[in-house]
Amino acid sequence: MATVTRFGFLAIAMVFHLVYLYSIFDIYFVSPIVSGMQLFHVDRPQGTKAPAERLVLFVGDGLRADKAFQSFPDPNPQSDNDLTPRPLAPFLRSRVLEHGTFGVSHTRVPTESRPGHVALIAGLYEDVSAVATGWKLNPVNFDSVFNRSRHTWSWGSPDILPMFEKGATPGTIDAYCYDAEFEDFSQDALHLDLWVFDHVKEFFAEAGKSKTLGDALRQDKIVLFLHLLGLDTTGHSYRPYSKEYLNNIKVVDEGVKEISELINKFYGDDRTAFVFTADHGMSDWGSHGDGHPDNTRTPLIAWGSGIAKPTKFPGSVAPGHNEYSSDWNLDEIKRHDVSQADVAALMAYLLGVELPANSVGELPLSYLSANTKEKAEASLVNAKQILEMYRVKESIKQSTQLRYQPYKPLSVGNSTPEERVEAIQQLIATGRPEEAIEETAALIKLGLEGLRYLQTYDWLFLRALITIGYLGWIAFALTTVIDLHVLQGTTQPARTVPGALFFSSVLVVLYASFVASHSPATYYAYAFFPVFFWEEVYARRVSLSKGWQALFGHVKAGPKILSLVVNAITYLGIVESLALGYIHREILTVLFYVGALYPVVLGLKFLQRHAVLSATWFVSCIVTGSFTLLPAMKVENINLIILGGFLMVAVGIFYLVFEEKLLADSSKIGSIPIKESNLSRALIGVQTGLTLLATFVTRSSALSLQAKSGLPQGNQVVGWLVLVISLLMPLAHRLHTNSHYLHRLMVIFLTFAPTFVILTISYEGLFYFAYCVTLLAWVRLEHYSQLFRKANSQTQETNGSAKTTLAKVTSHFRPLALSDARVALFFFVLLQSAFFSTGNVASISSFSLESVNRLIPVFDPFSQGALLILKLMIPFALLSANLGILNKRLGVAPSALFMVAMALSDVLTLYFFWVVKDEGSWLEIGSTISHFAIASLLCVFVAALEGVSVVFISGIEVNSSDKPEVKTNGAAMDTVAELVVGEVKEQEQGEEEAKAVATH
């Protein structure tokens, strides 16, 4: 392969990381759905009915378990008595105390509405890749309790109900949905739940008049499903501790009471089973998605036909309770916790229908009002269904593996599943149902472990392959950086026939195994990259040898070796601390505070010459570092929004007033001509005005939304106009280009300022201001520190105390030095700060919809998500522009620093790949997966930022002494000095210029 070009390297980086990011879906999130299983249901004697004729499922979307059971003052008090805390759901509480069984249903990640409902109704934990469809469409059709029923009627959100219709038996499921525009986040969401309750009432009123509908409703095995989205919408808008959320609980409780009484009155046979639960919880900051306990713990209350009455322990704390439920005042009632998928098995049993084909739920026997023998028989059916799924999956795995290794506890050498089932049946037949239940529970556990074994069968191989791939990328990236930007293309690949045969043979063997095992297409890509990377590294072994000599060849004395070792340990320590910073944001504060002292390392002379710059850097680092000490989960604060907006406006005004002086002061060396332009100043003024307008419009919109008056249409139109026009302003600046880098940075700053104001909910605007100041100080500090070191280097060389190795290369840029690794490290820390300073984006539940509601008040996950991502990307765009300018001012090749950063980024990625968990708490599992995904995307970001940087800094000129002088006499010639300290000697440079630089 020829030398990898700059853009070729960026393209490889993006493709590789996107492909390898998908690896977690092939490892951790392979769809559990298979087909071809025999279905099972509880066989009952002729004439014996199922426990219930019908089932009513209420799902309070986004209802936390603790909020459902705790006591609160009335959210809308009318008298002093209303200030006394009391349960907000008295009807549901009465079911717990007197009529049914209750507990906590524990969900899995991701705690989103779609996977939560799939677990509740289908009994399976769905492939997380469904997030690509917004949790709306079915990546794979699945069986469900609704599909097993004779008929299901459902009411609620268009985001949930249609997915159970798709793939189901035609005519089995009827869904009544309100329009998507009905989900308006700018208003109280009670109307969503009231719509459901009202339409159910109308439905039964119609059934009383229509014989056809009435007869259909009076059949057995029917389901009524009420999806209540109000709590979720209210929680997002006002948070779960708000009076709006608590009042919504009251409304839901009253509605459940009315519907329950209506149904009981309609049928009059006490043959209806009721189940009330939630798909996921809600965090204190009004979001969900990750594995935080507030998101994974939901209420489960079941009552009616077939449901056991509460188990009471008067005068003592009943089993099942812990500190979490200590303030529910339900201590005397036994709490029965289940996994979310268990609810599907419970509903199927109550209706007397087959268990859903792919259900992994375990029938919660404590919820059944049945004798021990009936429970034993029902549990055995549950076991048969799980074992049938294991049998089918094992046969599929056997057919695709060259040397299949069976799951030992269920293999021929031990008791086979058939033998175990027969033994349990014998226990039931001989009157030992308790023993049968114990043996069945153990068999179900083995079956689930067997399914887990099959699900993770390829993990060891895939993890090893991915690890080798990431190590290969790091080696390839470093090799490319050395070849292009240290040796500057002076070496060529040295391939050999044995080497080519070895690497091609490895790839052929891997591909042959994939063909034989019918592996997914992605496996081929996973195998291609490691072979490609390591072959390229091997071919460039000469570059590595020469690069090592260039970078470390002079490090021979003990003090230099010790210094290099200490610096390397410090470097790795900072990278490792960044990994910990994903969990503990405060670590970034420490790094910023330490980094604030960087000018001190340069010495007293530097501090004296650049006192203002050093002070600016110190203050900006302290301020920027302080944001990670603030809460990641914020509530709307209009005063902070306005303050941030005014600071941005103040920057624009300050620049307009002092533009000539600012640009002249920064151009003392080299004296780049600065052409004043009335048009350019007018455009800066327009951008400043747009920022001011965005501030006032955002304040007005936020106040209106807080007052529940909705979003004024005028505000929405003006908000969109400001956002779009501000993002298009750089095109207007093309009419008269000012090539000075400070002017360009001001244009970029004001381009994104209105967007950041509109989409901020708290202190983010203040961070935007502080972050931009820090970036500008960083660019100037690195530039002047290089000039300072260059001057010292020239002084030492004049005295003959330094020896220089000269090498003629054809490049307009100076080669990279070890000192440039420090620049990449600063960039990396600033990149992390862009992620974590205003939130904890390692958790997918960190996003708040309050900001996007000012532009899109109606629920639209893709459009709202796009706006949130735009806000998230703005700091990265600023960082890319500043690094691009720094690239130019340091005189290195355009992509050099970006490539170094990309080579370093996967140290974090590989670390997070190794620590991904699939066991333990759902908080741990969800966090580790999020950490890996973000770390992997960092390299994609850096590659994309390189492209953004090219656009932002095109046409920018730098001072003539910002970069090494290039002498041209038929060909461009440069001089390479010793690279270990990053000092560049400019060949044949005049003595007067050297003195000018030294005294600057």
Side-chain angles (χ1 to χ4, degrees):
M1 178 179 176
T3 301
V4 178
T5 64
R6 164 191 177 188
F7 293 106
F9 179 85
L10 296 176
I12 292 171
M14 295 187 72
V15 172
F16 165 71
H17 284 87
L18 290 174
V19 168
Y20 264 45
L21 174 63
Y22 190 81
S23 67
I24 63 171
F25 297 114
D26 278 331
I27 297 175
Y28 303 105
F29 299 111
V30 177
S31 177
I33 300 174
V34 292
S35 58
M37 282 86 71
Q38 177 186 346
L39 298 177
F40 293 87
H41 69 278
V42 177
D43 290 323
R44 294 182 171 85
Q46 187 71 26
T48 304
K49 294 184 177 181
E53 295 287 319
R54 67 204 66 89
L55 183 136
V56 183
L57 173 63
F58 302 95
V59 176
D61 199 310
L63 177 58
R64 275 168 48 167
D66 55 349
K67 300 301 180 185
F69 297 120
Q70 288 171 340
S71 297
F72 299 93
D74 194 297
N76 297 305
Q78 303 296 323
S79 64
D80 291 341
N81 290 334
D82 291 338
L83 299 178
T84 303
R86 66 189 67 182
L88 297 179
F91 176 76
L92 290 172
R93 191 178 186 85
S94 69
R95 307 301 96 181
V96 173
L97 293 172
E98 301 295 338
H99 299 279
T101 306
F102 96 108
V104 172
S105 171
H106 296 273
T107 76
R108 289 194 183 184
V109 289
T111 45
E112 297 288 348
S113 292
R114 178 197 160 85
H117 281 89
V118 170
L120 283 171
I121 299 166
L124 63 96
Y125 297 109
E126 192 183 24
D127 181 355
V128 75
S129 62
V131 71
T133 65
W135 301 121
K136 289 184 178 181
L137 303 177
N138 303 352
V140 181
N141 291 330
F142 53 85
D143 192 21
S144 70
V145 174
F146 293 174
N147 191 44
R148 294 291 115 211
S149 69
R150 191 179 305 279
H151 202 103
T152 293
W153 287 272
S154 57
W155 297 265
S157 168
D159 301 325
I160 298 299
L161 303 190
M163 71 182 180
F164 292 101
E165 284 185 294
K166 185 177 180 181
T169 303
T172 302
I173 303 173
D174 287 343
Y176 302 94
C177 308
Y178 39 74
D179 294 334
E181 292 74 17
F182 212 53
E183 301 175 25
D184 191 339
F185 283 87
S186 67
Q187 300 177 1
D188 234 333
L190 295 176
H191 63 285
L192 299 177
D193 297 339
L194 294 176
W195 186 97
V196 172
F197 294 137
D198 290 344
H199 278 70
V200 174
K201 293 174 185 176
E202 293 173 4
F203 178 79
F204 275 94
E206 178 66 22
K209 302 174 184 176
S210 170
K211 184 177 186 303
T212 302
L213 180 57
D215 291 343
L217 279 171
R218 287 183 172 85
Q219 297 181 96
D220 63 349
K221 296 181 175 61
I222 69 166
V223 177
L224 305 173
F225 170 42
L226 284 71
H227 175 235
L228 308 171
L229 184 63
L231 285 162
D232 183 73
T233 306
T234 301
H236 286 312
S237 300
Y238 302 102
R239 291 172 169 73
Y241 50 76
S242 65
K243 67 176 183 179
E244 290 82 4
Y245 187 87
L246 299 177
N247 186 57
N248 209 146
I249 294 176
K250 289 182 61 179
V251 170
V252 166
D253 181 73
E254 183 63 29
V256 171
K257 177 184 178 182
E258 292 177 358
I259 298 302
S260 300
E261 292 175 348
L262 173 66
I263 290 174
N264 285 331
K265 182 179 179 181
F266 180 85
Y267 290 105
D269 57 3
D270 292 328
R271 293 280 297 158
T272 306
F274 298 89
V275 175
F276 179 90
T277 187
D279 53 347
H280 56 73
M282 181 77 66
S283 69
D284 279 339
W285 44 91
S287 54
H288 53 82
D290 67 2
H292 192 281
D294 285 340
N295 295 332
T296 62
R297 293 186 291 211
T298 63
L300 175 61
I301 307 170
W303 71 97
S305 182
I307 304 294
K309 294 292 191 283
T311 305
K312 300 183 178 182
F313 292 78
S316 63
V317 178
H321 285 283
N322 53 22
E323 184 179 355
Y324 178 64
S325 57
S326 60
D327 61 348
W328 297 356
N329 295 319
L330 295 172
D331 290 349
E332 294 185 355
I333 310 297
K334 186 176 181 180
R335 172 181 147 189
H336 305 267
D337 286 10
V338 302
S339 295
Q340 191 171 49
D342 300 346
V343 178
L346 172 63
M347 294 192 295
Y349 168 82
L350 293 171
L351 285 172
V353 299
E354 297 91 345
L355 290 162
N358 290 105
S359 172
V360 295
E362 300 180 56
L363 180 62
L365 301 180
S366 60
Y367 280 74
L368 312 183
S369 63
N371 59 45
T372 309
K373 182 181 178 182
E374 291 172 336
K375 290 182 179 181
E377 291 173 342
S379 183
L380 182 58
V381 170
N382 190 185
K384 289 179 180 179
Q385 176 263 324
I386 291 174
L387 291 172
E388 173 70 5
M389 188 160 41
Y390 170 81
R391 182 191 65 79
V392 172
K393 288 192 174 186
E394 185 181 45
S395 64
I396 294 174
K397 183 62 67 176
Q398 282 178 319
S399 66
T400 60
Q401 294 296 317
L402 296 177
R403 296 181 61 187
Y404 172 72
Q405 297 294 323
Y407 179 58
K408 290 184 179 180
L410 293 176
S411 61
V412 177
N414 299 282
S415 297
T416 63
E418 293 77 11
E419 293 171 344
R420 291 174 182 269
V421 169
E422 186 177 344
I424 294 171
Q425 290 173 332
Q426 185 64 28
L427 289 174
I428 297 174
T430 56
R432 292 183 289 174
E434 294 86 356
E435 294 181 42
I437 290 174
E438 292 178 6
E439 291 296 323
T440 304
L443 182 56
I444 289 176
K445 183 178 179 181
L446 279 179
L448 293 174
E449 289 176 352
L451 290 173
R452 171 73 175 170
Y453 171 80
L454 296 173
Q455 195 81 1
T456 61
Y457 190 86
D458 296 326
W459 277 23
L460 178 61
F461 168 75
L462 287 175
R463 282 172 165 174
L465 187 62
I466 298 301
T467 298
I468 295 171
Y470 275 118
L471 291 174
W473 160 257
I474 294 172
F476 167 76
L478 291 175
T479 302
T480 305
V481 168
I482 290 173
D483 191 50
L484 290 180
H485 301 304
V486 175
L487 303 177
Q488 297 186 317
T490 57
T491 62
Q492 293 298 320
R495 289 182 167 83
T496 63
V497 173
L501 286 175
F502 172 77
F503 287 105
S504 59
S505 298
V506 170
L507 191 61
V508 168
V509 169
L510 288 172
Y511 279 13
S513 67
F514 295 156
V515 171
S517 59
H518 306 286
S519 299
T522 50
Y523 282 34
Y524 295 86
Y526 301 153
F528 170 78
F529 282 109
V531 175
F532 168 76
F533 290 147
W534 286 110
E535 192 279 334
E536 191 69 21
V537 171
Y538 173 76
R540 297 189 178 278
R541 56 195 180 278
V542 176
S543 298
L544 289 175
S545 176
K546 290 185 177 181
W548 178 274
Q549 183 63 29
L551 293 172
F552 304 104
H554 82 295
V555 183
K556 299 175 181 178
K560 288 188 176 182
I561 294 175
L562 179 62
S563 175
L564 182 63
V565 171
V566 171
N567 287 336
I569 293 174
T570 302
Y571 203 103
L572 291 175
I574 292 175
V575 173
E576 177 65 21
S577 68
L578 288 174
L580 296 176
Y582 277 62
I583 304 170
H584 307 287
R585 296 167 62 242
E586 299 80 6
I587 289 177
L588 280 172
T589 301
V590 176
L591 292 179
F592 268 101
Y593 287 179
V594 173
L597 302 176
Y598 170 60
V600 176
V601 178
L602 300 174
L604 183 60
K605 287 185 179 180
F606 182 88
L607 291 174
Q608 291 173 340
R609 293 175 185 173
H610 304 286
V612 175
L613 175 59
S614 299
T616 303
W617 168 256
F618 179 84
V619 173
S620 63
C621 281
I622 296 299
V623 174
T624 304
S626 300
F627 284 99
T628 45
L629 296 176
L630 300 175
M633 305 307 168
K634 304 167 287 294
V635 295
E636 191 171 57
N637 188 317
I638 296 179
N639 291 331
L640 290 180
I641 295 173
I642 295 174
L643 177 59
F646 282 172
L647 282 175
M648 298 176 204
V649 171
V651 170
I653 295 174
F654 179 83
Y655 180 81
L656 286 173
V657 174
F658 297 102
E659 177 184 16
E660 183 178 355
K661 180 173 174 55
L662 286 171
L663 301 190
D665 285 349
S666 63
S667 301
K668 287 180 180 177
I669 302 176
S671 299
I672 294 176
I674 301 173
K675 299 178 181 179
E676 286 195 23
S677 168
N678 292 331
L679 175 60
S680 179
R681 290 175 60 82
L683 292 175
I684 292 289
V686 170
Q687 289 184 288
T688 304
L690 288 173
T691 306
L692 185 63
L693 178 60
T695 303
F696 286 118
V697 170
T698 300
R699 177 183 179 275
S700 173
S701 298
L703 289 173
S704 180
L705 291 171
Q706 287 182 0
K708 302 179 188 177
S709 301
L711 178 65
Q713 188 172 3
N715 286 25
Q716 185 178 14
V717 171
V718 172
W720 275 108
L721 286 174
V722 169
L723 184 142
V724 173
I725 293 173
S726 65
L727 294 178
L728 295 177
M729 286 303 294
L731 298 178
H733 278 279
R734 293 282 182 181
L735 298 175
H736 192 293
T737 303
N738 186 328
S739 61
H740 197 282
Y741 80 93
L742 280 181
H743 180 84
R744 186 67 58 83
L745 288 178
M746 179 55 59
V747 171
I748 296 171
F749 172 82
L750 292 175
T751 293
F752 294 118
T755 303
F756 222 80
V757 170
I758 294 172
L759 298 179
T760 192
I761 64 171
S762 183
Y763 57 76
E764 299 101 302
L766 302 178
F767 165 74
Y768 181 79
F769 170 79
Y771 190 68
C772 290
V773 173
T774 303
L775 291 178
L776 178 60
W778 175 54
V779 170
R780 296 175 67 84
L781 183 65
E782 287 290 356
H783 168 60
Y784 285 122
S785 68
Q786 176 175 277
L787 293 178
F788 179 76
R789 290 184 176 187
K790 184 193 303 182
N792 288 343
S793 172
Q794 291 168 343
T795 302
Q796 292 174 0
E797 291 169 357
T798 301
N799 295 333
S801 58
K803 186 184 291 184
T804 304
T805 302
L806 302 181
K808 303 251 179 171
V809 294
T810 57
S811 175
H812 292 275
F813 307 104
R814 74 163 175 84
L816 284 178
L818 281 181
S819 59
D820 291 316
R822 181 197 66 251
V823 179
L825 186 62
F826 270 91
F827 169 79
F828 212 40
V829 173
L830 290 166
L831 190 71
Q832 302 289 328
S833 175
F835 265 111
F836 295 107
S837 290
T838 59
N840 178 18
V841 297
S843 164
I844 58 177
S845 70
S846 303
F847 300 111
S848 172
L849 294 178
E850 291 179 75
S851 56
V852 296
N853 288 346
R854 301 165 194 158
L855 295 174
I856 306 176
V858 177
F859 181 64
D860 186 343
F862 284 106
S863 299
Q864 292 174 324
L867 287 174
L868 289 170
I869 291 174
L870 172 62
K871 175 186 173 184
L872 186 66
M873 291 295 104
I874 287 175
F876 299 127
L878 293 165
L879 178 58
S880 72
N882 281 272
L883 183 64
I885 290 171
L886 181 58
N887 229 53
K888 278 199 167 190
R889 302 201 81 190
L890 295 182
V892 296
S895 292
L897 296 178
F898 282 100
M899 292 173 72
V900 174
M902 279 187 280
L904 296 173
S905 66
D906 277 327
V907 175
L908 276 183
T909 308
L910 194 53
Y911 168 82
F912 284 124
F913 181 77
W914 286 337
V915 300
V916 166
K917 293 185 176 181
D918 63 301
E919 295 179 343
S921 75
W922 292 115
L923 176 60
E924 294 174 329
I925 296 170
S927 296
T928 56
I929 293 170
S930 298
H931 294 164
F932 166 73
I934 290 174
S936 185
L937 285 171
L938 278 179
C939 192
V940 179
F941 286 155
V942 175
L945 292 179
E946 160 68 359
V948 173
S949 176
V950 170
V951 175
F952 281 163
I953 69 171
S954 62
I956 286 182
E957 299 177 10
V958 296
N959 300 338
S960 59
S961 57
D962 282 3
K963 56 185 180 180
E965 182 179 343
V966 178
K967 300 291 184 181
T968 56
N969 184 14
M973 306 299 294
D974 200 3
T975 301
V976 181
E978 288 191 20
L979 302 176
V980 68
V981 293
E983 299 165 350
V984 178
K985 179 182 178 181
E986 298 169 8
Q987 186 179 14
E988 301 176 357
Q989 184 172 348
E991 191 68 22
E992 292 182 2
E993 183 180 354
K995 291 179 180 179
V997 173
T999 57
H1000 177 65

